[in-house]
Amino acid sequence: MASASTSKYNSHSLENESIKRTSRDGVNRDLTEAVPRLPGETLITDKEVIYICPFNGPIKGRVYITNYRLYLRSLETDSSLILDVPLGVISRIEKMGGATSRGENSYGLDITCKDMRNLRFALKQEGHSRRDMFEILTRYAFPLAHSLPLFAFLNEEKFNVDGWTVYNPVEEYRRQGLPNHHWRITFINKCYELCDTYPALLVVPYRASDDDLRRVATFRSRNRIPVLSWIHPENKTVIVRCSQPLVGMSGKRNKDDEKYLDVIRETNKQISKLTIYDARPSVNAVANKATGGGYESDDAYHNAELFFLDIHNIHVMRESLKKVKDIVYPNVEESHWLSSLESTHWLEHIKLVLTGAIQVADKVSSGKSSVLVHCSDGWDRTAQLTSLAMLMLDSFYRSIEGFEILVQKEWISFGHKFASRIGHGDKNHTDADRSPIFLQFIDCVWQMSKQFPTAFEFNEQFLIIILDHLYSCRFGTFLFNCESARERQKVTERTVSLWSLINSNKEKFKNPFYTKEINRVLYPVASMRHLELWVNYYIRWNPRIKQQQPNPVEQRYMELLALRDEYIKRLEELQLANSAKLSDPPTSPSSPSQMMPHVQTHF
Amino acid sequence: MLGKGVVGGGGGTKAPKPSFVSYVRPEEIHTNEKEVTEKEVTLHLLPGEQLLCEASTVLKYVQEDSCQHGVYGRLVCTDFKIAFLGDDESALDNDETQFKNKVIGENDITLHCVDQIYGVFDEKKKTLFGQLKKYPEKLIIHCKDLRVFQFCLRYTKEEEVKRIVSGIIHHTQAPKLLKRLFLFSYATAAQNNTVTDPKNHTVMFDTLKDWCWELERTKGNMKYKAVSVNEGYKVCERLPAYFVVPTPLPEENVQRFQGHGIPIWCWSCHNGSALLKMSALPKEQDDGILQIQKSFLDGIYKTIHRPPYEIVKTEDLSSNFLSLQEIQTAYSKFKQLFLIDNSTEFWDTDIKWFSLLESSSWLDIIRRCLKKAIEITECMEAQNMNVLLLEENASDLCCLISSLVQLMMDPHCRTRIGFQSLIQKEWVMGGHCFLDRCNHLRQNDKEEVPVFLLFLDCVWQLVHQHPPAFEFTETYLTVLSDSLYIPIFSTFFFNSPHQKDTNMGREGQDTQSKPLNLLTVWDWSVQFEPKAQTLLKNPLYVEKPKLDKGQRKGMRFKHQRQLSLPLTQSKSSPKRGFFREETDHLIKNLLGKRISKLINSSDELQDNFREFYDSWHSKSTDYHGLLLPHIEGPEIKVWAQRYLRWIPEAQILGGGQVATLSKLLEMMEEVQSLQEKIDERHHSQQAPQAEAPCLLRNSARLSSLFPFALLQRHSSKPVLPTSGWKALGDEDDLAKREDEFVDLGDV
């Protein structure tokens, strides 16, 4: 069995999982096997390289490239793993140096990754090893450009749990008490004919007919009509999501849309006005009129109140994250760390997203108003706001499976364009559609879990592994842009779900401090005094920053849990012994203390 | 937020600062006066405390969320404190979960704790000082523990306003004589009430025996000796009566320059290297005196460079490190970030929070202190070198750095008794001028520097990063910082042990009067009930296991190996000629000149530091061994419990680390209960019930800044930012781009 020491630079969970998965197969592997391989993973080539580590200097090693990963083992230390990088993480591959390069280690490849690191390899000029490596990497990191399948379609892993069954929309809506007298389930989009980026199953007002829905769809960008995301179990106010109205420069109106919003408002008799949260800054909402979009003016929507939430667009977020990478990789900007962090604006964006979600949650929780949320097309900022608000409002989503359902529903089924935002298998690293919207959402969840360390069933590793596989292309969960595309490609049949991996290893992702609470609303404080850069994600590749040592508080708590279980077991044994003693007269003269040695526990 | 349909608005509009609007009509005042009379709360006076002036019908604003409302009561000033006696105070007294200080109540401000007094005239805030021609309608008091009090005087009688405002200004700002401070009134009046806590085993280092004990504990007694040459402070009034010097040093040398130029021992490492400090010789212009000084120092250095001593590395903290002015300036800026008057101010500063933090330089100063301590630790631990800290009076930065080094290298200093003893040894007996640095006399604020607060903040970074290593909690550090401004304790009050002994009457100047017994802060029962004291003890801390015979042998082997390994790596001993060069460098440093050689050696220093630092952090932490902090940018944080605890907007209701701590204590309680049941089954004995720390119950409602900031919020409303978006600057182009390409054909 091939062994590998603990990865210094890669996600622990990913590496451990690969090794464990291999072991669980029961397949006897050749001891000379250099790379742990998943079922379906094939070795393409291997080459001797010098890895120019930005922290420890050049390391001579051998790089193995499979159809799934780039794996580097050091030649200087026996079986010492250095890199295990899924090819899906690769964003850009550049050649470094030319035929006339003479400097040491100046000829090779420079690889930019999506997960906040870069890789640099020096190769020999003789033998065309760089050309070979470049061509192979380009081919398997960007398979779409070469008419090749993503690795997810070749992956033959099997898990105890089928992650594709985690989310069943009918069951999730039933959990929320739907359908009810005011909300019904419609299959008008069964073949995605109403809106090709929406899921097949939608929850809409009972009093709106399917014909009404079709008329409203013509007035909403991409036909993304207002549909229900969540309903409050007690006061029955709701969160509804959609895209912007197609008002345009001429200020178009659509009576069906206006009436439809009124119908939504009237699903709850207690409220007087519907609250509309437009996630955009108001200047952007106005500017969108020039291209046909816009917002709900009070001229047309008398029973609605509109607020803008100032969350910036995908381009601003993309540039902001680039700046974060600039200050943390390879070395943390030491002088002026705080002002450098501030100049990235990243945490300001986090603050505004959280603030918007808090407002949505508070409006719904207080029972004053139902809420309609949209941005431009309703698949980026809208998904952030609805999912975070639901996380604050509904403790079910703070469990492991509940969170998986939340992601499946608000992000995957409602058409967040994962493929365009991440660039799965695509080589165009300058594509303007790339943006870290989902990462930003996960960052907000991390901020919340840090502020409420007992409220979430999952731990930090859970969030990190989700982000790792957002990029890795090992699973089908985040592939493609919408449900209809996934249906056409038969993703649930031909690929494995990320939730299979997670739910087969739940213990590794559990937060031991988790305290299940029903109906407790969480309001994080969206202040810079409490928001901080997620060091264990953005700076995890730097060995000088805190290693992922186990949290000492958590470690102690786990020890106490184990001790408690041991004591409970011993107490039961003693009770059994006492019962036996009662039924049979004691024949042994020895005292119980001699039979069982006394163990002192020190805190 | 924006109004609906706003077209021209460019993002959020800054709301005007809210001003208080009175909803109490004049006719209702009489009713309130009656209520005040009926519910009058008794002013709790300490022994020796005298009421000086008071005013009734004062409205104290209670800051909560974004609204402001108030409580009526009496505002009084004594010779010890300013106190507000509110009508609803009785309700708080019944709250068992409150972490109450028995000496200073929630609405009490010691006179020493007052930082700045402002008055509001016609909605304008002005600093109040000296004689006032006009009296404010509103009084704002900023405290040194970061509390902010706002009192409305609009409904108070005019003559009472004059009296209370003048009284407060006078008693908090007028210069004072040492003997007239409340400390002595209290000590005199409380003479018979003084009860020493038998549990307090803090070593005070005021006897020769204490120093000998420390020498033996650290195995420094082979090379260093405790001397009593300064008994009765005959030689030097800055030094303690007893201290430790190198064994071969003639005692008469101490008298030459009143203790200056004498290497004084702080601590010895397990490998034999020692930490020393020395106050610099006074600067002289006379060549003759300079020559005498040089000759004296030559003798000193020959002594400490000769066997059995190893190489000595000198760290001149006066010229190559922080200045006191730097520390004071940084802290003044830093503390202003936490003295928040209202919600609008909180959110206005939130937008530029990181740059405000950085421009204060406080966190950077913490980083530099920790780094300096790590460098010295590396010299002692890895290079087996003695380190001599040099400073003008060896009573500020020397105290700071020597304490940090010992915290990192000596696990005993991370116990509660060890930490308190460390403070006694390095700060109190080390002659840190608490009287001047805290400006207790209000005579000269140029001497005021928060060196001790800087030390506590550095300690907090270590506690925060390595919680299982410390027997005390961050709450302990927070209340310790508060104790700086409670002038009934002698610990942080005097400029030197001599000054303390003189003023306590122990020096026989007045043989007829009894010596005063002054309290020390280490008797925590003076401030806190036993239940509250449980919050000062860290449940994560595990005492160092005692070694049995077999393990002791292994330990000795480890010890020897640790000794030998650095010796192999250490540099060869310098030749005789090197002594003179070293001394010359020292002389030139004393004269303020820089030497290029130091610049060359700094590169080597950095490499050694980096190697030592990285090597330590790559291993798993041994909480009973060497303990280093992380000092990279993201790792140095704001001590939220101390600095944010009085800001309601900064509280996370039902969140924060107190939630996990609460779960941990619950589990410990459960495990202990199960263990007792098992014991009961074995022995049929009734085990004594452990007292549960009920202060941590109902963690869902505790603030993240527990046990402080227990303000009861009327609702669970979320805290929402009120300030708008900051301009993106060069990213405006990006912000204007369309999210997606829009096919106009659809329109």
Side-chain angles (χ1 to χ4, degrees):
Chain A
M1 185 68 64
S3 64
S5 62
T6 302
S7 167
K8 198 175 182 183
Y9 304 103
N10 209 48
S11 165
H12 289 282
S13 53
L14 181 61
E15 175 55 28
N16 292 339
E17 181 48 38
S18 298
I19 296 174
K20 191 186 297 184
R21 189 75 198 95
T22 303
S23 304
R24 200 180 303 124
D25 281 350
V27 176
N28 291 323
R29 294 188 176 276
D30 197 315
L31 282 177
T32 58
E33 186 84 41
V35 192
R37 281 189 290 166
L38 304 170
E41 185 180 355
T42 59
L43 179 62
I44 307 299
T45 188
D46 63 276
K47 289 188 184 303
E48 190 172 305
V49 298
I50 295 178
Y51 170 57
I52 306 178
C53 176
F55 311 108
N56 298 321
I59 301 171
K60 180 181 280 188
R62 181 164 289 274
V63 62
Y64 301 84
I65 301 174
T66 72
N67 55 348
Y68 168 61
R69 77 183 91 203
L70 179 151
Y71 190 88
L72 179 69
R73 162 167 284 143
S74 171
L75 295 179
E76 293 165 354
T77 310
D78 188 42
S79 74
S80 167
L81 170 67
I82 301 174
L83 292 174
D84 186 352
V85 183
L87 300 184
V89 163
I90 293 177
S91 175
R92 179 182 188 182
I93 309 170
E94 295 171 279
K95 291 174 177 174
M96 179 180 67
T100 58
S101 298
R102 290 289 178 264
E104 187 184 1
N105 298 334
S106 63
Y107 180 88
L109 292 175
D110 205 344
I111 298 173
T112 304
C113 298
K114 298 168 183 169
D115 60 358
M116 308 295 284
R117 55 177 163 164
N118 292 350
L119 314 173
R120 180 170 289 191
F121 298 103
L123 296 102
K124 294 171 181 172
Q125 295 188 20
E126 314 86 51
H128 298 296
S129 57
R130 182 175 85 164
R131 184 184 63 187
D132 290 348
M133 188 165 164
F134 178 85
E135 287 178 359
I136 289 168
L137 279 177
T138 301
R139 186 177 184 85
Y140 287 95
F142 313 125
L144 298 190
H146 301 85
S147 303
L148 292 172
L150 296 167
F151 177 75
F153 291 93
L154 306 173
N155 186 1
E156 297 169 9
E157 288 182 273
K158 297 292 189 292
F159 292 96
N160 300 331
V161 176
D162 182 8
W164 292 123
T165 63
V166 160
Y167 175 58
N168 179 315
V170 173
E171 283 178 17
E172 166 59 9
Y173 286 120
R174 180 180 297 131
R175 185 190 67 85
Q176 298 188 41
L178 300 166
N180 62 16
H181 291 313
H182 298 284
W183 295 90
R184 67 182 179 94
I185 291 176
T186 177
F187 291 94
I188 189 177
N189 205 41
K190 184 174 62 174
C191 298
Y192 310 104
E193 58 268 43
L194 178 76
C195 169
D196 62 355
T197 60
Y198 259 7
L201 185 152
L202 301 168
V203 176
V204 296
Y206 194 87
R207 288 176 46 210
S209 68
D210 281 4
D211 279 343
D212 293 331
L213 301 181
R214 291 190 189 95
R215 284 192 288 269
V216 170
T218 63
F219 192 64
R220 291 281 165 176
S221 177
R222 319 287 180 178
N223 307 113
R224 294 170 63 92
I225 64 172
V227 295
L228 182 139
S229 281
W230 188 79
I231 185 169
H232 196 290
E234 278 98 40
N235 62 38
K236 304 302 176 186
T237 52
V238 297
I239 299 176
V240 169
R241 62 181 290 178
C242 61
S243 62
Q244 67 180 323
L246 299 176
V247 173
M249 292 297 287
S250 55
K252 291 191 186 69
R253 296 182 59 164
N254 182 297
K255 290 203 178 299
D256 295 296
D257 191 85
E258 293 161 26
K259 181 186 173 187
Y260 185 72
L261 262 55
D262 239 18
V263 167
I264 291 173
R265 179 180 64 87
E266 288 167 1
T267 59
N268 191 309
K269 301 301 181 183
Q270 305 302 319
I271 63 181
S272 57
K273 285 204 169 188
L274 179 71
T275 303
I276 300 176
Y277 285 113
D278 187 326
R280 299 170 290 186
S282 62
V283 287
N284 294 80
V286 172
N288 272 357
K289 286 185 168 184
T291 50
Y295 56 90
E296 299 87 347
S297 68
D298 49 358
D299 294 346
Y301 298 84
H302 307 293
N303 291 318
E305 195 170 15
L306 174 69
F307 299 94
F308 294 98
L309 298 179
D310 293 324
I311 300 171
H312 277 275
N313 62 25
I314 60 172
H315 313 296
V316 174
M317 302 313 184
R318 180 177 62 248
E319 294 308 310
S320 181
L321 187 66
K322 277 183 188 175
K323 290 178 175 172
V324 171
K325 185 177 182 183
D326 288 344
I327 67 168
V328 303
Y329 190 86
N331 290 311
V332 173
E333 177 73 35
E334 201 52 53
S335 63
H336 307 296
W337 159 252
L338 288 173
S339 56
S340 299
L341 179 60
E342 183 168 286
S343 68
T344 68
H345 299 295
W346 180 254
L347 290 181
E348 282 169 64
H349 298 311
I350 296 288
K351 169 179 171 176
L352 285 166
V353 172
L354 280 172
T355 300
I358 292 167
Q359 290 177 78
V360 171
D362 179 49
K363 188 70 74 171
V364 170
S365 176
S366 62
K368 296 173 182 170
S369 175
S370 285
V371 167
L372 179 140
V373 182
H374 71 70
C375 49
S376 298
D377 295 306
W379 50 42
D380 285 308
R381 292 167 275 197
T382 299
Q384 290 178 329
L385 290 169
T386 59
S387 53
L388 286 169
M390 287 155 70
L391 195 63
M392 296 173 190
L393 290 161
D394 192 336
S395 59
F396 170 73
Y397 296 125
R398 299 173 214 143
S399 66
I400 289 175
E401 289 205 3
F403 188 80
E404 292 167 359
I405 288 168
L406 183 70
V407 169
Q408 286 285 153
K409 176 169 170 292
E410 293 298 309
W411 289 87
I412 294 170
S413 81
F414 274 106
H416 175 66
K417 297 174 48 165
F418 280 104
S420 300
R421 299 285 176 262
I422 305 303
H424 294 127
D426 181 63
K427 68 180 179 181
N428 185 7
H429 61 273
T430 59
D431 189 344
D433 278 353
R434 303 274 182 109
S435 192
I437 301 300
F438 186 75
L439 164 59
Q440 196 172 66
F441 159 69
I442 295 291
D443 195 328
C444 289
V445 176
W446 178 80
Q447 305 284 346
M448 281 184 69
S449 69
K450 195 173 180 307
Q451 292 196 17
F452 299 99
T454 62
F456 294 83
E457 187 186 15
F458 48 83
N459 58 18
E460 186 176 54
Q461 276 305 311
F462 175 82
L463 301 175
I464 291 177
I465 197 169
I466 288 175
L467 292 176
D468 283 343
H469 292 296
L470 175 69
Y471 304 117
S472 76
C473 296
R474 174 175 165 188
F475 300 103
T477 305
F478 297 118
L479 302 185
F480 299 101
N481 281 338
C482 58
E483 188 176 286
S484 63
R486 294 185 190 99
E487 282 288 312
R488 283 198 304 276
Q489 300 292 338
K490 296 182 166 56
V491 165
T492 59
E493 298 165 29
R494 300 170 57 202
T495 72
V496 182
S497 167
L498 168 61
W499 316 130
S500 301
L501 168 68
I502 289 178
N503 293 349
S504 297
N505 301 279
K506 255 186 179 179
E507 289 307 313
K508 192 167 32 167
F509 304 111
K510 282 192 174 181
N511 169 19
F513 293 107
Y514 174 56
T515 306
K516 190 170 183 179
E517 284 168 321
I518 306 299
N519 296 336
R520 180 191 168 195
V521 184
L522 294 185
Y523 288 127
V525 175
S527 161
M528 292 307 191
R529 274 92 165 176
H530 287 298
L531 302 178
E532 57 182 86
L533 192 74
W534 186 5
V535 167
N536 283 344
Y537 181 74
Y538 297 107
I539 318 187
R540 57 179 162 157
W541 310 119
N542 188 330
R544 293 204 179 113
I545 301 295
K546 192 182 308 172
Q547 299 291 335
Q548 292 193 15
Q549 289 184 19
N551 181 311
V553 183
E554 184 171 331
Q555 212 172 17
R556 177 61 52 80
Y557 192 74
M558 305 274 277
E559 287 167 11
L560 288 171
L561 280 174
L563 200 57
R564 179 194 65 171
D565 294 343
E566 183 191 329
Y567 280 175
I568 288 176
K569 188 176 177 183
R570 194 184 299 178
L571 204 55
E572 286 167 358
E573 288 170 358
L574 281 174
Q575 282 165 348
L576 286 179
N578 273 16
S579 300
K581 201 177 293 184
L582 285 177
S583 59
D584 294 326
T587 55
S588 170
S590 60
S591 65
S593 61
Q594 292 177 18
M595 295 161 58
M596 193 164 296
H598 180 73
V599 176
Q600 284 288 344
T601 301
H602 302 281
F603 293 101
Chain B
M1 299 305 299
L2 292 173
K4 51 184 177 178
V6 172
V7 174
T13 305
K14 182 189 281 192
K17 287 196 174 184
S19 60
F20 176 78
V21 177
S22 170
Y23 296 105
V24 180
R25 287 170 296 168
E27 305 87 65
E28 296 178 16
I29 291 180
H30 286 291
T31 306
N32 284 301
E33 280 179 352
K34 283 186 180 178
E35 291 172 7
V36 168
T37 304
E38 290 169 4
K39 300 179 181 177
E40 183 166 309
V41 178
T42 306
L43 172 65
H44 173 248
L45 293 174
L46 295 183
E49 188 178 3
Q50 297 176 28
L51 177 62
L52 299 176
C53 49
E54 69 177 292
S56 54
T57 324
V58 172
L59 181 66
K60 173 181 177 288
Y61 295 124
V62 177
Q63 226 177 322
E64 181 180 309
D65 296 326
S66 305
C67 67
Q68 282 185 334
H69 66 275
V71 175
Y72 280 101
R74 290 162 59 215
L75 185 61
V76 308
C77 181
T78 73
D79 57 346
F80 170 60
K81 67 186 182 233
I82 299 162
F84 177 78
L85 309 170
D87 296 345
D88 67 349
E89 194 165 335
S90 57
L92 284 177
D93 286 341
N94 294 333
D95 187 2
E96 286 187 4
T97 62
Q98 198 185 17
F99 179 76
K100 287 195 302 181
N101 189 307
K102 298 194 294 188
V103 176
I104 291 295
E106 184 185 20
N107 288 316
D108 294 343
I109 312 163
T110 67
L111 302 183
H112 294 262
C113 197
V114 173
D115 190 27
Q116 194 74 52
I117 301 178
Y118 302 91
V120 177
F121 306 83
D122 299 325
E123 304 301 331
K124 292 177 184 175
K125 183 178 163 185
K126 296 176 181 175
T127 305
L128 297 184
F129 54 88
Q131 294 285 337
L132 299 188
K133 299 177 181 177
K134 187 184 175 187
Y135 287 87
E137 60 199 42
K138 184 176 174 184
L139 194 66
I140 299 178
I141 302 180
H142 285 186
C143 305
K144 290 179 177 175
D145 63 1
L146 291 320
R147 284 182 295 170
V148 175
F149 289 88
Q150 303 190 42
F151 300 107
C152 177
L153 306 173
R154 196 173 296 147
Y155 312 108
T156 311
K157 291 175 184 173
E158 187 178 352
E159 58 267 34
E160 288 187 348
V161 170
K162 290 181 180 178
R163 209 178 307 132
I164 193 67
V165 174
S166 299
I168 287 175
I169 291 175
H170 173 75
H171 291 291
T172 59
Q173 294 180 0
K176 292 229 171 180
L177 298 178
L178 177 62
K179 269 293 189 177
R180 290 188 164 273
L181 291 180
F182 180 73
L183 176 77
F184 300 101
S185 309
Y186 176 82
T188 303
Q191 195 77 274
N192 300 326
N193 297 339
T194 303
V195 175
T196 303
D197 186 352
K199 295 179 183 176
N200 181 19
H201 300 307
T202 305
V203 183
M204 304 301 281
F205 291 98
D206 52 3
T207 65
L208 198 63
K209 181 182 171 186
D210 285 346
W211 288 99
C212 292
W213 174 84
E214 179 75 352
L215 273 170
E216 190 174 333
R217 183 182 75 83
T218 60
K219 297 184 174 58
N221 44 0
M222 298 300 293
K223 305 179 180 178
Y224 300 90
K225 63 183 178 182
V227 294
S228 52
V229 63
N230 201 37
E231 205 164 30
Y233 307 102
K234 299 193 293 283
V235 170
C236 173
E237 293 183 350
R238 289 182 306 98
L239 293 176
Y242 311 99
F243 52 91
V244 176
V245 296
T247 301
L249 192 76
E251 290 191 13
E252 54 264 25
N253 276 10
V254 180
Q255 308 179 37
R256 291 287 303 277
F257 294 96
Q258 294 86 48
H260 287 279
I262 298 296
I264 294 176
W265 176 88
C266 299
W267 180 78
S268 284
C269 185
H270 58 84
N271 63 10
S273 58
L275 181 64
L276 308 164
K277 65 183 176 183
M278 185 164 81
S279 51
L281 291 171
K283 297 178 180 179
E284 294 286 349
Q285 302 300 323
D286 190 302
D287 282 349
I289 300 180
L290 265 183
Q291 194 60 37
I292 295 175
Q293 287 184 349
K294 182 172 180 301
S295 175
F296 178 78
L297 286 178
D298 272 346
I300 295 291
Y301 275 95
K302 279 177 182 174
T303 301
I304 61 179
H305 279 282
R306 194 182 299 145
Y309 305 107
E310 304 293 336
I311 305 166
V312 176
K313 174 179 167 49
T314 300
E315 284 277 352
D316 189 345
L317 301 177
S318 293
S319 62
N320 297 327
F321 193 48
L322 293 159
S323 69
L324 297 186
Q325 180 59 43
E326 241 177 309
I327 296 171
Q328 170 65 2
T329 301
Y331 187 72
S332 294
K333 286 184 183 175
F334 183 70
K335 72 181 181 185
Q336 288 301 321
L337 304 180
F338 307 96
L339 294 163
I340 301 289
D341 284 353
N342 53 56
S343 183
T344 299
E345 191 180 342
F346 179 84
W347 292 112
D348 284 348
T349 53
D350 201 61
I351 294 173
K352 39 188 186 292
W353 176 245
F354 292 128
S355 39
L356 287 171
L357 265 185
E358 185 169 284
S359 63
S360 79
S361 299
W362 181 251
L363 297 187
D364 187 58
I365 283 176
I366 291 172
R367 182 176 303 109
R368 287 161 70 185
C369 294
L370 292 171
K371 187 170 188 235
K372 177 62 70 177
I374 297 170
E375 286 169 1
I376 291 168
T377 299
E378 188 265 336
C379 286
M380 298 181 69
E381 177 79 25
Q383 301 190 49
N384 202 36
M385 291 171 66
N386 298 313
V387 175
L388 175 67
L389 303 175
L390 186 64
E391 192 188 7
E392 186 175 344
N393 281 314
S395 60
D396 284 298
L397 301 175
C398 275
C399 302
L400 172 65
I401 298 300
S402 66
S403 299
L404 290 179
V405 169
Q406 292 174 65
L407 263 182
M408 294 180 189
M409 300 187 77
D410 188 348
H412 176 67
C413 296
R414 304 194 284 259
T415 67
R416 186 155 133 179
I417 297 301
F419 183 68
Q420 295 173 174
S421 303
L422 175 71
I423 291 175
Q424 282 294 132
K425 176 163 69 107
E426 298 297 334
W427 294 86
V428 180
M429 291 302 153
H432 180 64
C433 302
F434 283 104
L435 192 70
D436 290 346
R437 297 288 176 254
C438 298
N439 200 14
H440 285 316
L441 299 180
R442 296 184 221 94
Q443 290 175 351
N444 183 5
D445 58 12
K446 292 181 179 177
E447 293 295 326
E448 183 172 5
V449 185
V451 185
F452 190 70
L453 282 182
L454 174 56
F455 166 66
L456 292 184
D457 215 321
C458 292
V459 177
W460 180 86
Q461 307 293 330
L462 278 159
V463 170
H464 179 75
Q465 294 182 17
H466 304 294
F470 292 86
E471 191 181 9
F472 48 89
T473 59
E474 71 166 351
T475 303
Y476 172 95
L477 294 173
T478 302
V479 298
L480 188 58
S481 74
D482 290 343
S483 304
L484 277 171
Y485 311 111
I486 302 181
I488 64 170
F489 301 113
S490 61
T491 314
F492 304 131
F493 201 85
F494 294 100
N495 279 343
S496 65
H498 167 262
Q499 190 183 47
K500 174 183 173 183
D501 287 352
T502 300
N503 286 278
M504 285 170 65
R506 274 189 191 159
E507 289 308 305
Q509 294 176 1
D510 189 354
T511 52
Q512 292 186 357
S513 66
K514 292 180 179 178
L516 297 176
N517 278 321
L518 298 176
L519 295 172
T520 71
V521 75
W522 313 125
D523 185 357
W524 291 104
S525 62
V526 175
Q527 297 193 63
F528 300 106
E529 298 291 350
K531 197 172 292 180
Q533 287 185 49
T534 60
L535 295 179
L536 310 184
K537 184 177 170 62
N538 181 8
L540 279 181
Y541 179 74
V542 177
E543 288 184 27
K544 190 169 186 176
K546 302 199 171 179
L547 302 173
D548 56 40
K549 254 185 181 180
Q551 283 177 337
R552 192 165 295 121
K553 286 185 179 178
M555 181 56 67
R556 189 177 300 117
F557 176 73
K558 273 188 182 179
H559 186 73
Q560 288 172 354
R561 199 171 66 173
Q562 273 177 318
L563 276 172
S564 60
L565 192 57
L567 280 172
T568 307
Q569 296 174 350
S570 67
K571 301 177 179 64
S572 57
S573 298
K575 297 176 179 177
R576 176 172 293 270
F578 187 78
F579 294 141
R580 192 157 290 107
E581 289 174 24
E582 179 86 358
T583 308
D584 287 343
H585 292 331
L586 184 64
I587 292 285
K588 289 177 182 176
N589 282 338
L590 287 171
L591 298 176
K593 294 180 180 177
R594 295 200 171 273
I595 303 171
S596 61
K597 210 169 186 180
L598 284 179
I599 298 172
N600 294 332
S601 66
S602 68
D603 285 346
E604 189 182 342
L605 259 182
Q606 285 300 311
D607 287 344
N608 287 338
F609 169 87
R610 177 57 60 187
E611 186 183 336
F612 179 69
Y613 180 84
D614 288 346
S615 169
W616 187 85
H617 283 302
S618 65
K619 302 162 188 160
S620 61
T621 308
D622 171 16
Y623 293 118
H624 293 291
L626 182 67
L627 194 79
L628 298 186
H630 296 270
I631 57 173
E632 284 82 12
E635 308 286 7
I636 302 298
K637 300 183 192 296
V638 173
W639 180 2
Q641 195 200 50
R642 175 169 202 265
Y643 292 102
L644 296 178
R645 56 184 160 152
W646 312 117
I647 304 176
E649 288 83 4
Q651 294 180 61
I652 305 170
L653 208 59
Q657 286 308 308
V658 68
T660 52
L661 185 63
S662 174
K663 294 275 292 179
L664 189 80
L665 288 172
E666 244 178 72
M667 185 57 57
M668 291 174 83
E669 195 178 316
E670 188 175 344
V671 168
Q672 192 173 339
S673 170
L674 284 170
Q675 188 178 24
E676 283 160 6
K677 284 183 182 177
I678 291 178
D679 292 350
E680 201 175 304
R681 292 281 177 170
H682 278 301
H683 306 297
S684 300
Q685 291 177 3
Q686 289 295 329
Q689 288 297 323
E691 186 177 14
C694 66
L695 286 176
L696 279 168
R697 299 292 188 187
N698 302 319
S699 67
R701 289 191 279 105
L702 293 177
S703 164
S704 59
L705 300 165
F706 177 87
F708 307 98
L710 277 167
L711 303 174
Q712 292 296 327
R713 295 164 73 159
H714 291 340
S715 69
S716 61
K717 276 288 189 178
V719 174
L720 285 174
T722 55
S723 298
W725 176 254
K726 186 162 77 171
L728 283 178
D730 59 343
E731 290 180 356
D732 273 351
D733 287 348
L734 286 174
K736 289 169 187 169
R737 287 177 70 175
E738 290 299 319
D739 289 2
E740 309 285 346
F741 173 76
V742 177
D743 187 348
L744 291 177
D746 288 336
V747 180

